[in-house]
Each structure stands twice: as structure tokens, then as C-alpha cells.
Amino acid sequence: MLLTKKRLNKILQGWRVSIPSELEKELLDEYGNLVADDQGHTFEYTEQDIYQQLRTKLHPYGNKLQGGVTLS
């Protein structure tokens, strides 16, 4: 799965989180492209991988903006 701007916006709306545009660009750059390992093999992140990474990276924004709402 590749993270698109549309999908990220939908996730952010569902989680009721607002993030800086720099972070949005960083997330799209990181999870919106195929990844190559050291041996040149490409793979896509799974939906679970992306959601888990987003939860981790967006957790501080959810706490700050939503008064402690847990991202799930």
C-alpha cells in the first residue's frame, strides 16, 4: 500500500488530528513511495505498517491538540 495525500487526509480527519505541512510532506515522501532494501529489492509497506507508523508519529499531535485523545 502506498500512502496518498487523499488517504492521509482521510486518516487525519478520522483521528481528528491536524499536523504541520512539513510533517505531511515527510510522511508522504516516506510512505508514498516504494522502498528498496540494501540488495535492491523493492517492496511496499503494508496497511498495518503505515497505520502503526502514523500512530507513533502523530501521537504527540493528538495529545497536544485533542487534550489527550488516544489515536487508535
Side-chain angles (χ1 to χ4, degrees), residues 10-61:
K10 188 174 181 177
I11 292 168
L12 293 174
Q13 283 180 337
W15 290 350
R16 297 181 181 155
V17 174
S18 179
I19 60 173
S21 58
E22 298 85 29
L23 180 58
E24 181 179 331
K25 183 180 180 329
E26 178 185 323
L27 294 171
L28 291 171
D29 287 345
E30 188 169 347
Y31 302 109
N33 301 303
L34 294 175
V35 179
D37 63 12
D38 295 337
Q39 298 172 349
H41 300 109
T42 59
F43 64 94
E44 288 185 38
Y45 288 105
T46 65
E47 186 174 0
Q48 182 179 359
D49 290 335
I50 290 175
Y51 274 82
Q52 184 60 42
Q53 291 301 317
L54 289 178
R55 273 188 215 101
T56 302
K57 291 184 179 190
L58 299 180
H59 184 73
Y61 296 95

